[in-house]
Amino acid sequence: MLNTAPNPLKRRLKNILLVLVSLYVMITASLYFIQEKLLFLPTVLEQDYKFQFNYNFEELNLETNDGAKLNAVHFKVKNPKGVILYFHGNAGDLSRWGTIAEYFVEKQYDVLVMDYRTYGKSKGKLSESVFYSDAQLFYNHLINSYDESEITIYGRSLGTAIATYLASKNNPKQLILETPYYSIIDVAKSRFPVFPVEKLMRYKFLTYNFINEVNCEITMFHGTNDEIVPYKSAQKLFKVSPEKLTKLITIEGGSHNNLSHYETYHMNIEKLLNNFGAKI
């Protein structure tokens, strides 16, 4: 008679395969449902929190059409060379990012930096579309007091897609991008290469879709050792950017959070900001 008893090795392999498939499905589902927690790392401030910075500033609270309340700080100097609208990264709040933005205040620029919804004192429901509409709200606020020719839009990390979108819809003096990415999908693929992230991601931040509509000068800064946003993602973005308007400044050995440690960054920022005429 033939031996019809199940092969123990086959049974073990089948069980292992079932476990692996189950784990894959569970992780895939988790990536979909917790993507906001992976992408956005806000810290929350009490509404009565008092900011402390080294330069004069005004605290702003703007309300959106859907009732969200957005908090920002607007640094102001005497006889500014221009104004920088700064969009920060995915972690922290204005108590941190305001201090970082003071680097530009030191260079005789007014600076406006906002907190995204759920960050700091800002309130409101998150979606990709509101990042863009909220950014436009603050741009509109600026052009009540400044000419567009005086406005630099600056984006860092997460904020680079938002900054690029805003530049594509308006006519600022220039766009500066620190550690930009082709899209958040592209970054996610580098982090989770075996998962169908393109189908999972509700937040796409397609910087490459916006950048060809930008008509001002674009300067990108990126380090070759960036462990968060791969340098290759910035290179892909550079390749689809307006050739005559765009410059990619590569910082050899630079990582995601330390470009300000390199003289190449400071030297080029000085050039970019000193090209502005003084505000009359």
Side-chain angles (χ1 to χ4, degrees):
M1 292 180 64
L2 293 174
N3 184 3
T4 58
N7 186 307
L9 179 59
K10 287 184 177 179
R11 186 168 61 244
R12 190 176 299 113
L13 290 174
K14 182 179 179 180
N15 289 338
I16 292 172
L17 181 60
L18 286 172
V19 169
L20 291 175
V21 170
S22 297
L23 283 173
Y24 182 85
V25 171
M26 288 173 60
I27 295 172
T28 300
S30 296
L31 288 175
Y32 177 81
F33 288 110
I34 68 170
Q35 62 185 267
E36 281 192 356
K37 291 184 178 180
L38 293 173
L39 281 174
F40 310 123
L41 304 172
T43 49
V44 177
L45 297 175
E46 297 294 332
Q47 294 300 307
D48 60 355
Y49 178 86
K50 302 296 183 184
F51 292 109
Q52 294 184 352
F53 300 115
N54 295 316
Y55 296 91
N56 291 329
F57 70 94
E58 174 189 4
E59 185 175 353
L60 300 176
N61 290 287
L62 301 187
E63 187 168 343
T64 67
N65 289 334
D66 67 343
K69 294 181 180 180
L70 305 176
N71 187 242
V73 291
H74 190 177
F75 294 96
K76 295 182 178 181
V77 299
K78 291 183 179 179
N79 301 316
K81 297 177 182 177
V83 61
I84 296 172
L85 181 54
Y86 187 101
F87 295 98
H88 66 62
N90 74 325
D93 60 65
L94 283 180
S95 63
R96 172 195 175 201
W97 290 106
T99 300
I100 290 172
E102 285 185 305
Y103 170 77
F104 302 103
V105 184
E106 292 172 1
K107 301 185 183 307
Q108 202 61 27
Y109 277 80
D110 290 350
V111 179
L112 177 59
V113 52
M114 62 170 287
D115 255 340
Y116 311 124
R117 299 180 186 211
T118 74
Y119 286 72
K121 300 183 186 182
S122 292
K123 304 286 187 180
K125 185 177 180 181
L126 279 179
S127 70
E128 183 172 350
S129 64
V130 299
F131 277 95
Y132 306 134
S133 59
D134 292 350
Q136 186 65 55
L137 179 66
F138 279 91
Y139 192 90
N140 293 345
H141 176 81
L142 276 186
I143 59 179
N144 289 325
S145 304
Y146 304 86
D147 292 331
E148 283 193 279
S149 62
E150 297 172 311
I151 299 175
T152 289
I153 300 177
Y154 192 109
R156 175 165 169 173
S157 192
L158 173 68
T160 57
I162 301 161
T164 304
Y165 170 87
L166 195 61
S168 75
K169 300 298 181 183
N170 299 279
N171 295 292
K173 172 70 174 181
Q174 63 180 330
L175 173 65
I176 302 176
L177 304 175
E178 182 182 343
T179 62
Y181 47 85
Y182 187 75
S183 69
I184 282 293
I185 293 171
D186 190 57
V187 175
K189 283 181 178 178
S190 70
R191 191 77 60 86
F192 307 105
V194 300
F195 296 99
V197 293
E198 192 160 0
K199 295 181 179 179
L200 294 173
M201 299 293 289
R202 299 194 306 275
Y203 293 85
K204 302 181 185 298
F205 292 108
L206 305 176
T207 317
Y208 68 87
N209 262 359
F210 311 139
I211 204 156
N212 265 317
E213 302 299 319
V214 176
N215 294 312
C216 63
E217 291 185 358
I218 306 166
T219 306
M220 305 177 187
F221 292 89
H222 215 287
T224 55
N225 290 353
D226 194 319
E227 70 286 357
I228 306 297
V229 177
Y231 178 63
K232 288 182 179 179
S233 193
Q235 288 178 308
K236 284 177 64 176
L237 181 63
F238 177 66
K239 287 178 181 178
V240 300
S241 302
E243 184 176 358
K244 294 181 179 179
L245 294 174
T246 311
K247 183 177 183 180
L248 172 60
I249 297 172
T250 298
I251 299 182
E252 293 293 337
S255 60
H256 193 69
N257 293 312
N258 73 350
L259 299 191
S260 62
H261 296 176
Y262 291 83
E263 184 57 32
T264 300
Y265 173 80
H266 296 289
M267 178 180 66
N268 282 280
I269 286 292
E270 290 285 349
K271 290 179 181 178
L272 292 169
L273 298 186
N274 284 334
N275 283 338
F276 265 90
K279 182 178 176 182
I280 299 173

